[in-house]
Amino acid sequence: MNLSRRAFLVFYRNLVSYKRFVLPTLVGSLVQPVFYLVTFGIGMGAYMGAFGGRGYLFFLVPGVLVSSVMMSSTFECLYGAFVKMIHEKLYDSLIATPVSAEDAVAGDILWGAFRGLISGGLMMIVAFFMGVFPVSFPAGLLLCVLMVLIGIMFGSLAMIVTSYAPNFDFFNYYTELVITPMLFFSGVFFPLDNFPAWMKTLAQFLPLTHAVEVSRAVYSGVYGKGLLLNLGFVLALTLLAARFGLGRMKKRLIK
Amino acid sequence: MRTIIRAEHLVKNYGEFAAVKDISFEIREGECFGFLGPNGAGKTTTVRMIHCVSPITSGTILVNGLPADVDNRKIKAATGVIPQEMTLDTDLTVFENMMVFSKFFDIPRREARKRTDELIAFVELEAKRDNKISELSTGMKRRLLVARALLNKPALIIADEPTTGLDPQARHLIWQRLRLLKNQGTTLILTTQYMEEAQQLCDRLVVMYEGKILKEGSPRQLIDDEIGREVVEIRIEAAEDARLIADLGPLARGHERAGDTLFFYCRDGRAIQKKLVEMDLPNTVYRPATLEDVFLKLTGRSLVE
Ligand SMILES: Nc1ncnc2c1ncn2[C@@H]1O[C@H](COP(=O)(O)OP(=O)(O)OP(=O)(O)O)[C@@H](O)[C@H]1O
Ligand SMILES: [Mg+2]
């Protein structure tokens, strides 16, 4: 592993290029989650009654928030990284400077996490307008840190996929067979309690489940006893995925 | 002169395929060293190993005494690379490309601005400073690649086919800039398929073919050794070869048939020229020998894939 602070320079490069795309990407990353909030939150909320004394929206928002972090960081590290690698040959020019392959890829994972933070942050603001707030201001800040961590986790997982991808279509396997199902099996929209046992077991293996649990705890200030396990899962997977993703991408970039 | 690059028994395999097959060479400080070879000869593969972006299968390269290796940031920090492929940052403008790239070399912002302005002027791109890369012509992109390679004030510049696909003006501009840099003491590594380019710029060069080095020397010396001074080309049917070779062969150093043409290589062509006038053959050309003759003689005059 040849990782250095130069990863942040690559992040900076993305920031410079981003200013031209801010608006379309903001709209893009907002529409779907807002759509979930409105249809599920307001539409279904009417039938759901109260969850632990609070409205359904308080259940839904932390989950949708984390999902939008997942979506943004995943897409950035799938499509964004692939375009840079194959079409724009950007990595080739980066690694000819003192930036190492690991720096370049790590910079892009951080970038994916940042994009996740923006999507999640926007969602949080949208939720404010619907009257849903984190329990306290520090909790809100903690949530932002959490979003970055979760963004790094999903960004790294996506980088692993990218390192194997022969073309764009390959990403469909990941998004359709992993990401989309995960959205529905991780307790984002409904509590897992009412699911059959096998689904509950399955959910324990999905990173999103744990991310949602942690997010919900921070949002509500109710820290259950499984929380450390959830956080441990997220941290461990993040480290593992980042390490493996960097290694795999290095192999792909340096021939 | 000090040797700044020493490559010994360099081998590069891509899986089963051997792209570079046990080559050794030395490059001296301040010279322009050329790799001349047809498509697929292994030129890019070789220079990529020198500037540490491609792992070496076996053998060693020392650059300023440091072993070239993909994790060696020191060599990369002191090298300027003009890549064969257009690796400009297409999302950014000309100016932003330069500024962002200087960050990677830890050049302070103020200094980066100064160098960027100077270098944009150096390659005559002032008018395109705020244009996006997609709005540049191929020649302008190449010039920007040259400017970008100079940001870190490199002591070693690697130019991988820097003028392929350019019009004569753009090509001459790049040659002039490269010569200027060489005169300032920069060591230059040039890969090219253009004989004229090699002859114009290189102090010494190697002819590469199928991953091997066929010959090494200065352009003049290679021409002298392999061809002589002059070449006679006779476009004539192969059936006539025996007769012509019997007549002209003794006056030449060597001959070769390629396609519809018979070539004679000679040190002093006057005798052969006189004879040709006597023989009164149509379709003959009499001209000075060039590096192209060397190249074609070494790599074969027929098309290779
Ligand atoms: N990443 C790679 N994977 C597999 N084979 C490769 C790779 N890069 C180059 N090669 C092969 O190695 C050989 C040498 O390629 P290289 O690019 O070094 O040639 P070159 O002399 O630079 O040619 P050109 O003048 O066309 O640029 C070629 O046969 C090429 O197909
Ligand atoms: Mg090449």
Side-chain angles (χ1 to χ4, degrees):
Chain A
M1 224 21 55
N2 185 19
L3 195 58
S4 76
R5 62 176 171 83
R6 290 187 172 79
F8 293 104
L9 301 178
V10 176
F11 181 91
Y12 167 81
R13 177 263 153 210
N14 291 328
L15 202 60
V16 174
S17 102
Y18 187 50
K19 58 180 198 240
R20 296 205 176 75
F21 311 111
V22 174
L23 215 61
T25 55
L26 284 192
V27 173
S29 56
L30 252 184
V31 169
Q32 200 189 15
V34 168
F35 178 77
Y36 286 139
L37 274 191
V38 172
T39 52
F40 282 82
I42 299 177
M44 303 256 300
Y47 299 93
M48 305 290 272
F51 275 76
R54 311 188 80 177
Y56 176 56
L57 268 178
F58 280 87
F59 176 85
L60 184 66
V61 165
V64 172
L65 189 113
V66 169
S67 314
S68 77
V69 173
M70 169 177 86
M71 286 298 182
S72 289
S73 56
T74 298
F75 274 72
E76 191 61 34
C77 292
L78 293 181
Y79 295 91
F82 193 80
V83 167
K84 284 176 194 164
M85 175 168 71
I86 304 291
H87 299 273
E88 299 181 343
K89 316 229 181 271
L90 184 64
Y91 289 121
D92 288 344
S93 71
L94 292 180
I95 61 175
T97 73
V99 173
S100 70
E102 290 92 329
D103 296 337
V105 176
D108 274 355
I109 292 175
L110 285 178
W111 178 250
F114 176 73
R115 292 288 305 274
L117 177 66
I118 292 184
S119 310
L122 280 173
M123 286 299 308
M124 201 149 53
I125 293 170
V126 171
F128 291 167
F129 287 104
M130 299 170 99
V132 181
F133 298 90
V135 65
S136 64
F137 183 68
L141 289 184
L142 188 57
L143 214 57
C144 291
V145 176
L146 201 64
M147 285 194 269
V148 172
L149 176 66
I150 291 166
I152 294 177
M153 175 172 76
F154 284 111
S156 303
L157 288 170
M159 272 301 177
I160 297 173
V161 178
T162 303
S163 76
Y164 288 99
N167 50 38
F168 264 164
D169 301 323
F170 184 79
F171 294 140
N172 287 337
Y173 294 119
Y174 185 59
T175 55
E176 299 309 317
L177 297 178
V178 179
I179 294 293
T180 307
M182 191 145 60
L183 203 54
F184 292 95
F185 287 110
S186 301
V188 174
F189 302 108
F190 320 98
L192 288 169
D193 311 348
N194 305 330
F195 281 73
W198 68 267
M199 271 169 74
K200 272 193 234 172
T201 312
L202 170 73
Q204 291 313 308
F205 290 97
L206 302 178
L208 186 60
T209 307
H210 299 278
V212 170
E213 286 296 328
V214 181
S215 158
R216 219 163 254 156
V218 175
Y219 228 94
S220 63
V222 181
Y223 297 95
K225 57 180 181 340
L227 191 64
L228 272 182
L229 216 67
N230 299 133
L231 193 61
F233 185 101
V234 170
L235 282 171
L237 183 61
T238 304
L239 279 177
L240 217 69
R243 212 189 152 82
F244 188 56
L246 292 184
R248 279 285 321 161
M249 280 297 278
K250 180 177 193 174
K251 275 222 181 73
R252 173 107 192 230
L253 294 177
I254 290 185
K255 288 209 192 105
Chain B
M1 246 186 289
R2 204 165 66 89
T3 297
I4 81 158
I5 293 172
R6 177 175 315 217
E8 276 168 355
H9 301 294
L10 200 57
V11 173
K12 174 74 189 191
N13 298 336
Y14 293 110
E16 297 281 282
F17 180 78
V20 171
K21 302 166 184 160
D22 191 4
I23 64 172
S24 302
F25 54 87
E26 277 183 16
I27 300 175
R28 299 171 199 149
E29 190 166 29
E31 76 174 340
C32 174
F33 188 87
F35 289 89
L36 183 63
N39 291 131
K43 307 180 295 291
T44 300
T45 304
T46 305
V47 297
R48 279 167 55 84
M49 289 190 280
I50 298 175
H51 71 90
C52 307
V53 296
S54 180
I56 297 168
T57 305
S58 73
T60 53
I61 306 179
L62 291 179
V63 181
N64 264 322
L66 301 170
D69 167 84
V70 289
D71 289 328
N72 195 326
R73 295 178 202 264
K74 276 215 186 96
I75 295 177
K76 295 202 279 182
T79 308
V81 181
I82 306 168
Q84 180 172 10
E85 299 220 37
M86 295 283 183
T87 61
L88 292 166
D89 199 328
T90 47
D91 294 337
L92 308 180
T93 65
V94 168
F95 179 75
E96 288 169 341
N97 256 279
M98 297 289 282
M99 289 301 284
V100 166
F101 221 70
S102 2
K103 279 246 182 248
F104 300 145
F105 288 98
D106 297 318
I107 302 167
R109 196 176 168 75
R110 219 191 222 179
E111 177 65 19
R113 256 198 104 92
K114 192 173 140 253
R115 288 192 202 174
T116 295
D117 287 338
E118 282 168 12
L119 287 170
I120 287 180
F122 184 67
V123 296
E124 300 180 8
L125 279 176
E126 295 101 322
K128 299 288 174 184
R129 185 178 179 277
D130 295 313
N131 286 74
K132 299 233 302 200
I133 300 308
S134 54
E135 294 158 358
L136 303 185
S137 72
T138 312
M140 293 171 185
K141 285 182 196 162
R142 282 254 167 246
R143 270 141 64 193
L144 182 56
L145 283 174
V146 173
R148 193 183 72 173
L150 302 178
L151 273 170
N152 55 329
K153 298 202 185 281
L156 169 67
I157 292 176
I158 295 178
D160 194 357
E161 301 196 16
T163 63
T164 300
L166 300 190
D167 67 25
Q169 278 85 359
R171 175 173 302 171
H172 279 276
L173 186 125
I174 288 190
W175 286 351
Q176 280 162 15
R177 295 302 180 261
L178 291 178
R179 263 198 300 264
L180 206 70
L181 290 163
K182 203 187 82 121
N183 292 340
Q184 291 166 3
T186 312
T187 308
L188 211 61
I189 298 177
L190 177 80
T191 84
T192 185
Q193 321 182 10
Y194 296 128
M195 311 307 135
E196 196 194 345
E197 185 160 285
Q199 220 157 350
Q200 284 252 357
L201 295 174
C202 295
D203 301 308
R204 290 190 311 132
L205 57 89
V206 291
V207 178
M208 262 192 106
Y209 185 59
E210 292 184 340
K212 288 192 286 254
I213 290 180
L214 300 182
K215 274 277 160 8
E216 177 187 331
S218 72
R220 192 68 260 165
Q221 181 193 340
L222 283 175
I223 296 169
D224 268 3
D225 291 356
E226 294 300 317
I227 306 289
R229 290 201 182 280
E230 276 129 359
V231 175
V232 175
E233 291 182 20
I234 307 173
R235 202 160 320 139
I236 195 160
E237 279 174 36
E240 305 283 336
D241 278 12
R243 181 174 66 88
L244 284 169
I245 291 166
D247 277 355
L248 300 172
L251 302 173
R253 298 182 64 210
H255 56 81
E256 191 178 0
R257 154 71 62 178
D260 62 356
T261 308
L262 183 62
F263 294 82
F264 286 95
Y265 306 132
C266 29
R267 269 212 206 291
D268 180 353
R270 274 172 299 193
I272 225 172
Q273 202 181 14
K274 226 168 107 203
K275 189 100 184 172
L276 279 177
V277 174
E278 281 168 24
M279 292 168 85
D280 193 23
L281 288 171
N283 297 325
T284 60
V285 178
Y286 174 73
R287 59 172 175 79
T290 65
L291 204 50
E292 188 150 337
D293 295 304
V294 178
F295 183 76
L296 291 175
K297 185 179 168 208
L298 290 175
T299 61
R301 287 197 181 255
S302 53
L303 184 70
V304 279
E305 267 309 326

